[in-house]
């Protein structure tokens, strides 16, 4: 086990490393060109300076899947695929504003005509339907 007193944390996008990162999207089955890497700067208890590169740390969020949504497995997966499509479009269009539009997008690729569909990069990595119990009631 490694112990590290954290001084700074940031992240960057990098090409996936063989045997360390996910190379194919479980959602679409396409090749992943860039993966997020969390970089942690700090010091060990002995005082040695360290920089830790943490792979397979994809951002995530949960939201409730209400009872009025499809419950049959096939219908639920079809709904989730539609949801992912809508999230992809919304996130790409949101990223095109400000600094993203000047560079053509967050990955530096030009987006032809400003269309969100022009980007080849997948933003949503995976989607899973999980059952959970609220921790605080």
């Amino acid at each position: 086990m490694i112990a590290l007193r954290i001084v700074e944390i940031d992240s960057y996008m990098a090409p996936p490393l063989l045997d360390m990162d996910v190379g194919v999207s479980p959602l679409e089955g396409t090749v992943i060109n860039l993966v997020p890497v969390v970089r942690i700067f700090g010091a060990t208890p002995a005082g040695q300076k360290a920089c830790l590169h943490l792979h397979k740390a994809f951002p995530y969020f949960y939201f409730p899947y209400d009872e009025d949504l499809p419950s049959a497995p096939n219908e639920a997966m079809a709904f989730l695929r539609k949801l992912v499509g809508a999230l992809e479009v919304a996130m790409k269009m949101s990223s095109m504003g400000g600094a993203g539009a000047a560079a053509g997008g967050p990955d530096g690729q030009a987006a032809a005509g400003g269309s969100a569909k022009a980007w080849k990069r997948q933003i949503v990595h995976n989607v899973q339907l999980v059952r959970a119990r609220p921790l605080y009631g």
Side-chain angles (χ1 to χ4, degrees), residues 50-120:
C51 177
L52 175 75
H53 294 259
L54 182 63
H55 291 254
K56 294 185 181 176
F58 288 90
Y60 68 92
F61 64 92
Y62 288 101
F63 63 91
Y65 192 86
D66 296 329
E67 292 178 8
D68 59 336
L69 296 171
S71 59
N74 290 341
E75 292 175 5
M77 286 311 295
F79 173 79
L80 291 176
R81 276 193 220 81
K82 281 176 127 175
L83 176 66
V84 165
L87 283 171
E88 284 279 340
V89 169
M91 292 174 75
K92 287 176 183 177
M93 291 183 78
S94 173
S95 295
M96 291 176 70
D107 56 1
Q109 295 177 352
S115 168
K117 290 187 176 187
W119 284 355
K120 299 288 185 204

Side-chain angles (χ1 to χ4, degrees), residues 14-36 55-56 58 122 125:
L17 298 176
L18 187 63
D19 296 330
M20 185 167 293
D21 288 311
V22 178
V24 177
S25 166
L27 188 61
E28 294 184 0
T30 57
V31 173
I32 298 173
N33 296 321
L34 295 172
V35 295
H55 291 254
K56 294 185 181 176
F58 288 90
Q122 177 183 341
H125 175 71

Side-chain angles (χ1 to χ4, degrees), residues 114-131:
S115 168
K117 290 187 176 187
W119 284 355
K120 299 288 185 204
R121 191 174 114 200
Q122 177 183 341
I123 293 176
V124 179
H125 175 71
N126 198 3
V127 62
Q128 294 178 351
L129 189 57
V130 296
R131 182 179 305 263

